[in-house]
Amino acid sequence: MPSSHPLHRKHKIGLILGSGSARGWSHIGVIQALEEAGIKPDIICGTSIGALVGAAYAAGEIEVFRKWVLSLNISNVLSFMDIHLNGGVLKGEKIMNFFKHHFTDRNIEELNIPFGSVATSLTTGNEIWMREGSTVDAVRASLALPGLFTPVINNQDILVDGGLVNPVPVSLARAMGADFLIAVDLNSDLIGRHFYNPPESVFSFGSNASEWLRKIQQNFGKPGPLPDITHTLQKPPSLLDVIASSLNIMQAQITRSRMAGEPPHIIIAPQLAHLGLLDFHRAAEAIEEGRRAVEICLPALEKLKNRNRL
């Protein structure tokens, strides 16, 4: 007769993918490297960009998603920017409509791997766990970075980015039954980095920055010549840079506090502070850094894998 002792059951591995905007493409490299090491999570949780990548993985479409991400260039990213100044700079509809048309939108309950994402209620300030219903709708709510993407209305509630309350949702993975927790923290090296050595604005698109500024300028209704990009992207920081860096500080501090109280077993920390908030066209660089971050943790991951065989 099989023993009911907990050591005689398979331990569940939870993979927790943190928030971090364009840095989040590194989650793809993390997933690849973990699978190559023979570690496949039983539960996936994510916040913001982590929810987006996690949903693609839980749906069994991570390879299709990876190819799409690697195909993005600056023009593609600009094309997704449906500028809108009512609740946020970007409505977010273009990118989510693209996602719906190119990837299967199943209910969360029907995904290949148990999945959960985190959003924040602007009405109550509560952390909202998205565990059922449309996967795309759950991801869109988790992605609604305040000031950048417009909030999502859901059952009389107003939802924004889950990174405001739980940037690396270890607690959700534990609540879903994970025994061993692998957390990916994208915020560990961020604070102040853009102001110590700012190569360009965190909202910059290099030579296409003028197009981004033109779109914002048009929507503010202030026509006229664009400012000299070489000066506006240096000191003092722009309003958007200040907002982005403030959010980075907030999320980094919340992550430290929450993981101190709810520590995962392993923390994977890609070093991508040099990537701007909207550098979604630099996916190859981010994915490679995700793989490198896993390689650093391989000895601990091997111990985890061996222990999970009990």
Side-chain angles (χ1 to χ4, degrees), residues 206-218:
S207 61
N208 286 271
S210 59
E211 179 63 24
W212 165 244
L213 292 174
R214 183 175 292 109
K215 286 191 174 188
I216 293 179
Q217 185 184 64
Q218 288 172 350

Side-chain angles (χ1 to χ4, degrees), residues 191-237:
I191 297 178
R193 285 290 297 274
H194 292 295
F195 298 125
Y196 292 138
N197 184 25
E200 53 188 358
S201 166
V202 295
F203 280 83
S204 171
F205 292 99
S207 61
N208 286 271
S210 59
E211 179 63 24
W212 165 244
L213 292 174
R214 183 175 292 109
K215 286 191 174 188
I216 293 179
Q217 185 184 64
Q218 288 172 350
N219 281 271
F220 271 113
K222 295 180 179 180
L226 286 170
D228 184 344
I229 299 299
T230 60
H231 294 296
T232 59
L233 301 185
Q234 300 299 321
K235 297 178 181 180

Side-chain angles (χ1 to χ4, degrees), residues 129-200:
W129 290 352
M130 316 288 281
R131 296 280 311 279
E132 58 186 22
S134 165
T135 301
V136 167
D137 288 349
V139 169
R140 173 65 181 87
S142 190
L143 277 170
L145 188 66
L148 185 63
F149 288 102
T150 53
V152 171
I153 308 299
N154 181 50
N155 296 328
Q156 306 302 313
D157 205 352
I158 304 172
L159 303 181
V160 295
D161 196 305
L164 293 181
V165 290
N166 203 349
V168 186
V170 173
S171 55
L172 175 54
R174 183 175 280 115
M176 290 176 64
D179 300 294
F180 293 107
L181 305 161
I182 302 173
V184 185
D185 178 12
L186 304 179
N187 301 313
S188 63
D189 66 332
L190 282 181
I191 297 178
R193 285 290 297 274
H194 292 295
F195 298 125
Y196 292 138
N197 184 25
E200 53 188 358

